[in-house]
Amino acid sequence: MAARCAADRKDSRVTDLQRRLTREIAAIRAIDCHSHVPPESPHARGLADLLGYHYYTELAHSAGMPAEAVADGTSAEGRTAEMVARLATIDNTVQYGWLMEALAELFAFRADRLTAKNWPELDQAIARAGEDDRRYREVLASANLEKVFLTNTFDEDLSRVDREVFVPCLRTDDLVFGLADADVRRRLAVKTGVEVASADDLRDAVRWLMRYFVQHGAGSAAISLPPDFVPAAPDEAASDRALARAAAGKELSADDRRTLAVFAFDALAAACRQFRKPFQLMIGVLRNVYPSGVAGGRDLLSKRGTLEQYAGLFRRHAEVDFTVSVLSRAWAHELATFAWIFPNVKPSGHWWYLNVPVHIEYELRARLEAVPKGKLIGYYSDMYKVEFGLPKFNMYRRVLARVLAREFVEEGRMSEETAVATARLLLRENPQRIFGV
Amino acid sequence: MAARCAADRKDSRVTDLQRRLTREIAAIRAIDCHSHVPPESPHARGLADLLGYHYYTELAHSAGMPAEAVADGTSAEGRTAEMVARLATIDNTVQYGWLMEALAELFAFRADRLTAKNWPELDQAIARAGEDDRRYREVLASANLEKVFLTNTFDEDLSRVDREVFVPCLRTDDLVFGLADADVRRRLAVKTGVEVASADDLRDAVRWLMRYFVQHGAGSAAISLPPDFVPAAPDEAASDRALARAAAGKELSADDRRTLAVFAFDALAAACRQFRKPFQLMIGVLRNVYPSGVAGGRDLLSKRGTLEQYAGLFRRHAEVDFTVSVLSRAWAHELATFAWIFPNVKPSGHWWYLNVPVHIEYELRARLEAVPKGKLIGYYSDMYKVEFGLPKFNMYRRVLARVLAREFVEEGRMSEETAVATARLLLRENPQRIFGV
Amino acid sequence: MAARCAADRKDSRVTDLQRRLTREIAAIRAIDCHSHVPPESPHARGLADLLGYHYYTELAHSAGMPAEAVADGTSAEGRTAEMVARLATIDNTVQYGWLMEALAELFAFRADRLTAKNWPELDQAIARAGEDDRRYREVLASANLEKVFLTNTFDEDLSRVDREVFVPCLRTDDLVFGLADADVRRRLAVKTGVEVASADDLRDAVRWLMRYFVQHGAGSAAISLPPDFVPAAPDEAASDRALARAAAGKELSADDRRTLAVFAFDALAAACRQFRKPFQLMIGVLRNVYPSGVAGGRDLLSKRGTLEQYAGLFRRHAEVDFTVSVLSRAWAHELATFAWIFPNVKPSGHWWYLNVPVHIEYELRARLEAVPKGKLIGYYSDMYKVEFGLPKFNMYRRVLARVLAREFVEEGRMSEETAVATARLLLRENPQRIFGV
C-alpha cells in the first residue's frame, strides 16, 4: 500500500495503532469468494483489459464519453486512447483509485497520471507481463489472495481450471430465470443428459450439476436476483405443467416463468443442502435499466422489496448456509438483523453499488457490532481480471483496519490482538470454513 | 466505566474533552422509560438469569448453538455451562460487552473471560447478592438510574410494585391485537368489571384501566406494532358489530380484527389524552419470523411501511404526546422529520435492532442537529433484569459524549457546559417532564 | 466563519489540514442554483424577516409555541418578541446556528443570545441596513455568492430582476399539477396568449414560457414532486380529451389530472431539451401533512417510492440534464447510483430535511467516492432571504472541507490542491457549466 501518499502525520487523524493494524491486516492471506475471472484468460494482456472494466467505461460514459467510443468493433488501441483521455473526469472516484494502485503495485507505473504520451509504454509492459501464462499467480500473490472463486455457467468445462488458485462456483441465473428458453434447456440436456420436461427432471438435472461442480472443487452455487423476486415453497404440479408446455415448444406465460423460477431456485437450495455447499444470494439488481449504456454499465438497483421475502426460504432450508449480499443500502439493516437471528444467514461482502468505502465502513461496523464474528464473510472482489484483486482488497483491508482501530481498540472494546484475529476470520478463516476450501 | 481498557492516549482519537464529557454524563441520574423488569423479581439470582437474556441465547444460536440447549426443561446449570462455552463465538458483539461490563461493575468479576472453571464461583456470588430482596436498588444506584419504567399487562397487580424506583406502564398489545380472544375479554372483565360487547364497553374498559394505572403511578401506555399497522379514525358501528359477534362466541374475520385493533388503538390514545399521559409507540416488529429460534429470539423487522401511516393519528390526537421508537433503520429519517414538525411526536431511544452504537451515533446526531432538544428522550434499557441497565446506559452515555464532543463542542456549535445540560435533558429532564415522573 | 468558537486545539480532532481547506473553500465564489428569494424584496428589513423563516417558526411550534402566535394578522413586533422568547428551545439545532452566524457576520451582533432586551436594537440595525435597496448585493458578497437562482412562477414579470446577481428559474409545479384549475389556465392564457384546450396548445404554451424565461436569463426549469409521481410517455389522445373537458368547464377526474400531469411534465422536459436547459427535479415531498402547523411548516416526506420511477424519463430525454434532489434519506443511495450510470442525472445539493450536517456528510462522501466530479452540484441554499446564504453555504463549506480532509487527503486519495479544485467544481464550476450561467 506504499503507493498511497497520505497527509503528514500531524495533519492526519490516522493513529499509529491504525497504521499497525493496516500492516497486520495486509499480511493476512485472503480468500476471495466471488469474482468473474475467466479461467482461460485470468490476467490482463494489455491496458485495454484494465481500462475495459465496466467501472471505467460506465463512469467515463456517465461523465460524457459516447458509449460508441468503446463499443464492440473499436480497436483496443482506440479504446485505450479514448479512455486515457477520459480518466481525468473520474479521478475523484474510488474506482479510479483502484486502477492507479494496481498499475503502481503490479506494473511499477510511477507517473501521477496516465497520459497520451505514457500509456503506450505501460501497455507494452502489461502485454509483456501477460505473456507468462502463469502471470495471474504472481498477481494473486501480490494481492495476498490465496484462492479466488470463479463464476461458471452450468455447462462450462471445469477440467482446465487451475484449482491451485481458482475455485469453481455454479452460477445459476440461467437455470432459475432462463428455463423458458429452449436453448438453455438444450444446453442443460447436453451437459447433464437430462431432457427436462418435468419437475423431477429438473431436480435431477440440478442435482447432476451440483455433483459435477462439487467433484470439480466448487465452493458454492450463486445467483443474482431482482428486488421483487419472492422465493416460495415450490409448486410441483404447476411446474410439471409449465415444463411440459416448454418441452412441447409452447410459449410460457409470465406466471409459468415465475412458477419455474421459484421451483428451480428451491431445487438449487435443496441440492446445496445435499452437497453441503452454501448458496450465494446476491439480491437487488435491476437489469438493463439504461440500455444505451456501455457493456456492463446498464444495470442498476431499486430499494423496493424486503429481505422478509426470503424468510420462508431461510426457514425451509435451515441446513443450507445462505451467504447474502444486497445491492441497495436500504436493505443493509435487514441483512445484518436477519444474520443476527437466522443461523444460516451470513452477510457477505459489499456488492457493486455498495462497494464504496463510505458504505463499507458503516455496514462493516454494524455487522461487527451485532453479528457473531464467525458468520461474517468480509469481502470479495467481483473482479473480471485478477489485477483488480489487489486494490479492491486493499481498500477493504484499510477500511477494516480503520473500523477496528477507531471503533473497537480505541474504545476499549477489543485488544489489538483480537482485532487482528477478527480480521483473519473475515478475510480468511470464515470463507475457508463456510465454503469448505 | 473503569472496566474498559482503551488504547493508549497517543493511539486514540479520544480527546480530553470527550473524556471529561463522558465523566460528566456518567454523573447524570437517568430515567429509564422502558423496560421489561418483572417487579416481583427484578434482579438476577444466578448467572443463568443474565446469560438467559435473549441477546445471548439468540446470538449463540445464530453462531451455531442448538436452540434445544437452552430450551424450557433444561437445568439452569446446564444452560449456564452451555452458554459459557458459547460466549467466545459472540465476543465481538456489543451485547457481549454489556455482559462483561455488568459482571465487572456489579459483581467485581475480574477475569478476562467466563470459563468452565470460573463461572460457578461467579454464579454463587450473583446468587448471594440476589438474596437481598432489595438488591435491585443497589444495582440501579450503581447504574445511576433513578427510575425504571416497567411493562405491565393490563390485569397485573400493581399494588406490590416498589414505586420508589419503578414506574408502571400499561402495555396494550393484548387490548389492540387480542380482543378476538375470549380469554383476553374475560381477563378484561375480571379486571375492570366491564363485559365488553360494544364499542362503548371497550372505551369504558380502556378508560377504567388507564385510570387504575395512573392511580398506581403509571407513566404511560405503550404498544409494539407491526410495520403494516395503519391507525385510522375508528369505525364505531363496525366495532359494535364485531364486538357483538365476539361476545356471542363467533369467530372473527381478519377484517373484524383489523376494525377492532384500529378502534382499541384509538380508544387508548383518547384515554391517554384524558389522563394526560404519553403513548409509547414502538413501530416495526415482525413477530415469529423464525419460529425455530430460542425464546425471545424469533422476531425480526421489515423496512416496509412508512411513518406517514401515523400522520392521521398524530393530527387526530394533537394533545397526546406520542413517544415513538422505530425498529428499522429505513424509518429513522422519517421519525426525526416527523418530530421536527409535529409538536406531539417525540423520538424515543434506540430500540432493539437499532440499539447498536453505529446506529445510535448516526441517529442521535441527526436528532440533535434538527429536533428541538426538549423533545428528545435519549434512551431506555428495554432490559429484563436490572443488571443490564448499567452497561446499556453506559454504552449510550459514551456515544452521547462522543457525539457531543466531536460534532458539537469541537466544531464550535455548543459550549462544554451546554453539552452537559443537553445530555441532562435527554437522560433525565425530558423523560421526567414528558412522563410526569 | 470567525463567529464560531471551537474547542481548544488539543481538545479537537480538527487538524491544521482541515482548517486550511476550510479557509480555501471559503474563498471560492459560489453559485446558488436554488432559492426562493423574492426579487422585489431580497433582503431583510427587520428581524421579523429572519425569525419568520419557516425553520424557526416550525421548530418553535414543534417545541411548544402555539401556531397562532406567529399567524397572519399578528404584528411583526409581537411575532419577533414571541420568537425571541422561544429560541432557547431550539438552540441545539443547526438551523439556530444559521441564525446566529448570520446575525454575527452580517449585522455584527455580538451577544451570545437574542433576548427581550437586546433584540429591539438589532431589529433597528437590520431595518437601517435594509433601507439600502442594494443591500442584498453586499450580503451576497459577504456570503461569497456570485449568483443566486430564483424560483419564479410562470407568469411572474422577469423584467425587473437584478440579473447581475439573480438568475430566474421557471417553477413548474402549477403547470404540472394545476392544469385542472381554471385560474391556472387563465393565467397561462394571459401570459402566453395560448388558451389551452388541447395537447398541442399545452406544448405551445410550455414552449412559449421556456423561450420567455431563457430570453430573460433563466438557468433552468424546476419542480417539486410527491414520492408517488410516476413520469411516463405522454398519452396525447387522453390529454386532448382531458384538456377539452377542462376548457369546457367540466370537473376533471383523478385519472384526468394524472394524465395531464404526466403530459405537462413530459412537455416541460421536451422544452428543456429544445432550449438546452436543465430540469431541476426535487423529489419526495408530501404536502400539508400537518395542516395545523405554521405557514411553511406543514409539509413532510415519505420513504415510499423509488427513483426507478424516473428511469424511463431519463432514457426518453437523454439530452436533458436532470439535476436531482431527493427529500428522503431512503432515496439517497439510488440517487448516487443513478448518477453513476445515467449521463444526464446530476445529484444536486442537500434538500430541506436532508440539509443537516449528518446527512450531508454521508451523502457528500458517497457522491465524491463514486460519481464523476464534474456531475456534482454541491449545494444550494433554498433560502427566502439572502441573509441565509452565508450561514447555509458556510455549513456546507465546512462539511465539504471535513470530508475532503478526513476521507480524501488524510487517506492519500487526493492532494490538497486537488481537494480545493474539486471543491471549486462543486461550488462554482459545475453549476456554471451545467446551467450555462
Side-chain angles (χ1 to χ4, degrees), chain B residues 66-89:
Chain B
E68 297 70 34
V70 294
D72 285 354
T74 54
S75 70
E77 197 182 320
R79 286 198 305 276
T80 304
E82 177 78 34
M83 283 300 304
V84 165
R86 299 285 178 172
L87 284 178
T89 63

Side-chain angles (χ1 to χ4, degrees), chain A residues 126-166:
Chain A
I126 297 172
R128 267 195 313 275
E131 280 166 16
D132 175 359
D133 280 347
R134 317 244 300 180
R135 162 73 178 165
Y136 61 89
R137 289 198 174 199
E138 277 171 52
V139 171
L140 294 176
S142 299
N144 212 3
L145 290 175
E146 182 171 307
K147 297 272 189 191
V148 174
F149 281 47
L150 309 175
T151 294
N152 308 94
T153 55
F154 66 79
D155 53 349
E156 202 167 323
D157 178 10
L158 300 180
S159 63
R160 292 185 308 176
V161 169
D162 176 358
R163 284 171 48 190
E164 196 73 35
V165 291
F166 295 128

Side-chain angles (χ1 to χ4, degrees), chain C residues 6-268:
Chain C
D8 288 351
R9 292 205 171 192
K10 70 178 169 45
D11 258 1
S12 171
R13 300 177 313 146
V14 178
T15 57
D16 286 339
L17 164 66
Q18 189 176 333
R19 287 181 224 274
R20 277 199 308 277
L21 279 176
T22 303
R23 276 196 306 273
E24 295 183 272
I25 289 172
I28 298 169
R29 202 151 186 78
I31 307 292
D32 176 356
C33 71
H34 182 73
S35 87
H36 298 270
V37 169
E40 72 290 355
S41 173
H43 59 263
R45 290 168 186 274
L47 186 52
D49 283 345
L50 302 181
L51 291 176
Y53 196 9
H54 70 80
Y55 286 107
Y56 305 107
T57 53
E58 78 199 14
L59 284 167
H61 174 56
S62 176
M65 180 186 75
E68 296 70 35
V70 294
D72 286 355
T74 53
S75 69
E77 196 183 320
R79 286 197 306 275
T80 304
E82 177 78 35
M83 284 300 303
V84 165
R86 299 283 178 175
L87 284 178
T89 63
I90 66 169
D91 63 8
N92 58 300
T93 62
V94 68
Q95 293 85 2
Y96 175 83
W98 300 339
L99 175 71
M100 298 310 286
E101 187 170 351
L103 295 179
E105 297 292 312
L106 299 173
F107 302 100
F109 183 71
R110 290 290 167 254
D112 273 354
R113 295 191 165 272
L114 277 169
T115 66
K117 201 155 166 202
N118 68 20
W119 77 255
E121 192 182 339
L122 173 65
D123 186 39
Q124 286 162 24
I126 297 172
R128 266 196 314 275
E131 281 166 16
D132 175 0
D133 280 349
R134 317 239 304 178
R135 163 73 179 166
Y136 61 89
R137 290 199 174 197
E138 277 171 53
V139 170
L140 294 177
S142 299
N144 212 2
L145 291 175
E146 182 171 308
K147 298 271 189 190
V148 175
F149 281 47
L150 309 175
T151 294
N152 308 95
T153 55
F154 65 80
D155 54 349
E156 203 168 321
D157 177 10
L158 301 180
S159 63
R160 290 185 310 175
V161 170
D162 177 358
R163 284 170 51 191
E164 196 73 34
V165 290
F166 294 129
V167 180
C169 171
L170 173 60
R171 182 66 174 249
T172 64
D173 299 52
D174 279 359
L175 297 170
V176 170
F177 297 109
L179 283 173
D181 181 344
D183 191 54
V184 169
R185 295 195 311 278
R186 185 193 55 72
R187 286 167 46 211
L188 192 54
V190 169
K191 182 74 180 180
T192 66
V194 183
E195 303 264 2
V196 171
S198 74
D200 264 343
D201 294 342
L202 183 52
R203 251 190 311 255
D204 285 349
V206 161
R207 268 197 301 257
W208 192 98
L209 287 174
M210 202 68 192
R211 181 179 297 112
Y212 171 84
F213 266 73
V214 170
Q215 282 168 348
H216 287 77
S220 74
I223 189 168
S224 72
L225 298 150
D228 55 358
F229 182 70
V230 182
D235 183 334
E236 183 96 12
S239 301
D240 269 335
R241 287 190 299 272
L243 285 167
R245 268 196 289 280
K250 291 180 184 149
E251 188 74 10
L252 293 194
S253 68
D255 266 2
D256 278 344
R257 288 163 193 264
R258 212 165 13 244
T259 299
L260 285 187
V262 164
F263 185 89
F265 184 72
D266 204 80
L268 282 159

Side-chain angles (χ1 to χ4, degrees), chain C residues 312-334:
Chain C
L313 174 79
F314 300 148
R315 289 192 296 259
R316 216 160 44 244
H317 294 283
E319 292 154 41
V320 178
D321 272 343
F322 294 96
T323 63
V324 181
S325 300
V326 294
L327 196 50
S328 163
R329 175 147 55 105
W331 285 55
H333 187 222
E334 291 186 339

